[in-house]
Amino acid sequence: MVRNIVVLGGNSHPALVESVCNMLGLPACNRVLTKFSSGESRCEIQDSVRGKDVYIIQTGFGGNGSKLNDHFMDLCIMISACKTGSARRVTAVLPLFPYSRQPDLPYKKSGAPLFKASSEAGKKDYTFDSVPATPAPGLPRSAGLINGSDITSRLAKTALTNGTGSMSPVKQTNGDGFFHGVNGQGLQTPGFTTHDYENGSHIGAFQAKPGYKQWVAQAGTLVANLLTCAGADHVITMDLHDPQVQGFFDVPVDNLYGRPLLKRYITTHIPNYKEAVIISPDAGGAKRATAIADSLGMDFALIHKERRPTKITDRQNASMMLVGNVADRVCILVDDLLDTGNTITRAAKLLKKEGATTIYALLTHGVFSGDAINRVKASAIDKVVVTNSVPQDEHKALLGSKLDILDISPIFAEAVRRVHHGESISVLFNYD
Amino acid sequence: MSAEMANEIKLISGRSHPELSEKIAKRLGIKVARTISLNYSNQETSFTVGESVRDEDVFIVQSTSTGDVNEGLMELLIMISACRTASARRITAVIPNFPYARQDKKDKSRAPISARLVANMLQTAGANHIVTVDLHASQIQGFFSVPVDNLYAEPSFLRYIRENFKTEDCVIVSPDAGGAKRATSIADHLNTAFALIHKERPRPNVVGRMVLVGNVEDKIAILVDDMADTCGTLVKAAAVLKENGAKSVLALVTHGILSGNAIETLNSSVLQALVVTNTVPLGDKVERCPKLRVIDISPTLAEAIRRTHNGESVSYLFNHAPV
């Protein structure tokens, strides 16, 4: 029994809340968290939080009919309600941090980059094709330059013709007519504003103004700021996609690691694990994967997205290259997040081609969005192992024995206990 | 780019109410900026600006569509933040229907003051200025440390009443004590009688007993309020007015949220008409409810944007509705 502590759960992951509460030996705080019929969140906290140490558990996952943004707003409202209810300290516990992955390109709904014609994606339920995230030779430098007209000389011309400007109180956007001309497509009144994201053709039609590379919102900093502005004094999360996100906060952030759990799984569930190879499916995750490989004394290999033009023999894996040897060995793919499953399934395909015998995929967060379930089912991966940082019941039902789930509630319960008592948390980082 | 081209109005529209943005843009004689908002498959909202907003005067129009308030709010915050990081000179959030406006006080223990949270969030995201219409409580302006222009639908309503009725036949009725000020202001402008209905509210979205104060006999009773949500209040009030001898009853409401069974409630009520502005997207509700009339508020918003951009006074709009 821990005193003076209140654990408040959101609607995103009730099972985890219950499990953490059980381990701490206290009941979850009574609350009403629903929606008014207008769509506004309704939050009533029924137990006193005055002078208490409040931990609010809400994971960044929407599914099963609930919405990610609703959960995030609920979290902010709960934090704010506890703060105004005179809580001593409010800690936001986000097992999966929402908006932690910063896109470097506009993505379409399925998670693949927008640059490629969307007609390709419609062919199958899922596709292994994707275009490298950075402009490559042979591809247009930006969406606006597709017709290859010399933009700089054209721009110079507009500047001249617009020199006088119009005199109406609200100036017409100069040059608009010109830009439409360049694009050569009839720009009807709604312009390029695409409000209707359900309509794929609209998104395909979106183009930045010629000469302007589009600006994609990077919501990570915003989310961090919103949590602090709502009143969070402390944030606990797990395996942030970019550890730099910690720097977005002005309050302490404890980034827990799923690594010990994954390591334990490898040592207990994979026969002859010393002979297996740890694989990072992309260069960004190499550090994460080597950390596990080093501590277990295992071999390591890396898959790297080749962005130079190569002789294309196998189109589908043209951009993937394996560094290291996996022939006739068990492969363990390690990454932090499975979202649409594109990276990991493509990596598995490559590994199979290179002669891997069995392929495991170990990931901290299994979001399985879009057609990820089908993609994983159809892939060469023999076993996917994820933690319950987001609810996994539905995924388990769909994937069956292909999916193993690791329980993270002991780590979070221990983190909450230690933070509450002011004990060091670093033990949890090196925990074996 | 020449110097004259910098700092123009960039009108950016969220997904919640594109029709309103289009109307505003048309009125201003500009085009809505090229942007794209979408949700990734993991439901995170993504927003992309397709043209430079550097050093421009950015106006972001986002209402809150019924049932999807949080989605719209999050999108608005992301849009503001994107324009801020893209070096916009000034960002004005045009929020015709301010979300969470009713959660503006701590009316019981540990109740969240969500309106204040929304205000803080908007400022955290980077909004320099807020334009809104008929805030539920004008005190919400105090939650902000940036300027808030609270516009009124009242001039549009006054014009509607003058155009459609003989003012001496009308009596303005406030459906609750909180709206008395709003209703008396209209009654004073029209020089008509005024009545008030007092209600008891046991739970949210549920209406209790009602008492009429004032005389409505043989008059056209015009109910005036700032929002119609489930319409329970309005319909009950209309019934009370009918019982007290009103010739006919209609309602003038700024924000037609019309959630839940509002349309069915309205259709089966004694209300002759419900007049709302288009601050909230109405979708197919106009077709589903023959009693629903819509006043276009976009001229007022467009004029407020134009005046804000040019540094002119906005207070003219408090008493006049541009045609």
Side-chain angles (χ1 to χ4, degrees), chain A residues 54-308:
Chain A
V54 182
Y55 293 83
I56 307 177
I57 302 178
Q58 181 83 295
T59 196
F61 175 76
N64 313 338
S66 62
K67 285 192 170 163
L68 174 88
N69 287 338
D70 278 339
H71 290 322
F72 182 69
M73 279 307 298
D74 286 351
L75 174 64
C76 291
I77 291 173
M78 283 190 286
I79 294 173
S80 158
C82 291
K83 257 322 214 209
T84 49
S86 308
R88 185 167 58 84
R89 182 172 63 169
V90 180
T91 305
V93 182
L94 297 130
L96 170 56
F97 196 86
Y99 293 96
S100 57
R101 222 162 37 134
Q102 308 256 334
D104 52 359
L105 248 215
Y107 281 71
K108 61 183 192 215
K109 222 173 122 200
S110 62
L114 263 179
F115 273 134
K116 204 155 186 182
S118 52
S119 59
E120 286 248 353
K123 278 183 193 161
K124 272 192 269 175
D125 283 341
Y126 59 90
T127 170
F128 290 110
D129 284 328
S130 95
V131 166
T134 45
L139 285 172
R141 273 189 296 161
S142 80
L145 295 178
I146 280 170
N147 60 5
S149 68
D150 183 3
I151 195 68
T152 39
S153 68
R154 295 272 205 142
L155 279 174
K157 235 185 269 173
T158 357
L160 279 176
T161 50
N162 288 325
T164 48
S166 64
M167 289 304 156
S168 58
V170 179
K171 282 197 260 176
Q172 301 278 330
T173 29
N174 295 327
D176 239 83
F178 150 74
F179 281 126
H180 301 162
V182 166
N183 269 315
Q185 30 179 304
L187 186 76
Q188 25 339 32
T189 326
F192 277 103
T193 313
T194 305
H195 310 288
D196 186 6
Y197 69 104
E198 292 296 342
N199 191 339
S201 63
H202 277 200
I203 291 169
F206 171 77
Q207 269 185 319
K209 216 166 195 175
Y212 184 71
K213 191 180 177 299
Q214 60 264 53
W215 183 271
V216 188
Q218 310 275 302
T221 324
L222 173 69
V223 165
N225 289 338
L226 292 179
L227 286 173
T228 351
C229 121
D233 300 301
H234 195 133
V235 174
I236 302 177
T237 181
M238 184 178 244
D239 275 353
L240 280 171
H241 184 71
D242 298 312
Q244 285 81 357
V245 171
Q246 283 189 64
F248 296 170
F249 283 93
D250 288 330
V251 297
V253 179
D254 285 317
N255 184 21
L256 305 175
Y257 294 108
R259 198 187 300 150
L261 281 175
L262 302 183
K263 262 156 72 179
R264 198 192 303 150
Y265 183 90
I266 293 173
T267 52
T268 54
H269 286 74
I270 299 179
N272 280 334
Y273 72 90
K274 289 274 182 201
E275 305 301 314
V277 193
I278 301 272
I279 319 268
S280 172
D282 61 17
K287 225 177 153 186
R288 214 172 285 126
T290 45
I292 293 185
D294 286 351
S295 63
L296 294 175
M298 296 165 69
D299 282 347
F300 169 76
L302 177 115
I303 290 171
H304 146 75
K305 281 180 192 143
E306 181 61 64
R307 279 163 189 173
R308 279 170 298 169

Side-chain angles (χ1 to χ4, degrees), chain A residues 35-41 43-49 62-63 66-70 72-73 76-77 80-81 84-85 98-99 103 106-107 109-110 155 163 169-174 176 179-180 183 189-190 192-195 197 203 206-210 212 214-217 222-223 225-226 229-230 339-340 367 369-370, chain B residues 1 4-5 8-10 13-15 18 22 28-52 66-71 73-74 77-78 81-82 85-86 99-103 106 108-114 117 120-121 124-125 204-205 229-230 257 259-260 306 310:
Chain A
K35 268 183 161 193
F36 288 110
S37 57
S38 63
E40 293 178 357
S41 298
C43 167
E44 283 171 25
I45 294 162
Q46 287 153 322
D47 297 341
S48 172
V49 294
S66 62
K67 285 192 170 163
L68 174 88
N69 287 338
D70 278 339
F72 182 69
M73 279 307 298
C76 291
I77 291 173
S80 158
T84 49
Y99 293 96
Y107 281 71
K109 222 173 122 200
S110 62
L155 279 174
V170 179
K171 282 197 260 176
Q172 301 278 330
T173 29
N174 295 327
D176 239 83
F179 281 126
H180 301 162
N183 269 315
T189 326
F192 277 103
T193 313
T194 305
H195 310 288
Y197 69 104
I203 291 169
F206 171 77
Q207 269 185 319
K209 216 166 195 175
Y212 184 71
Q214 60 264 53
W215 183 271
V216 188
L222 173 69
V223 165
N225 289 338
L226 292 179
C229 121
D339 187 356
T340 56
V367 176
S369 74
Chain B
M1 298 279 164
E4 294 95 297
M5 276 193 76
E8 291 184 3
I9 294 178
K10 283 276 178 197
S13 171
R15 272 178 287 168
E22 284 305 334
L28 290 171
I30 58 174
K31 285 211 154 56
V32 178
R34 298 174 189 191
T35 59
I36 183 170
S37 304
L38 50 95
N39 282 40
Y40 293 145
S41 51
N42 64 4
Q43 299 191 0
E44 288 179 6
T45 305
S46 156
F47 174 71
T48 307
V49 200
E51 53 193 88
S52 174
T66 306
D68 245 356
V69 173
N70 292 336
E71 204 69 37
L73 180 56
M74 201 62 201
L77 294 169
I78 290 172
S81 158
T85 50
Y100 289 100
R102 278 172 290 182
Q103 296 184 29
K106 203 169 151 180
K108 55 187 149 203
S109 303
R110 297 174 294 281
I113 307 173
S114 307
L117 175 67
N120 285 343
M121 285 176 139
T124 303
N205 292 343
D229 192 346
T230 54
I257 298 167
S259 71
R306 196 191 66 74
N310 293 331

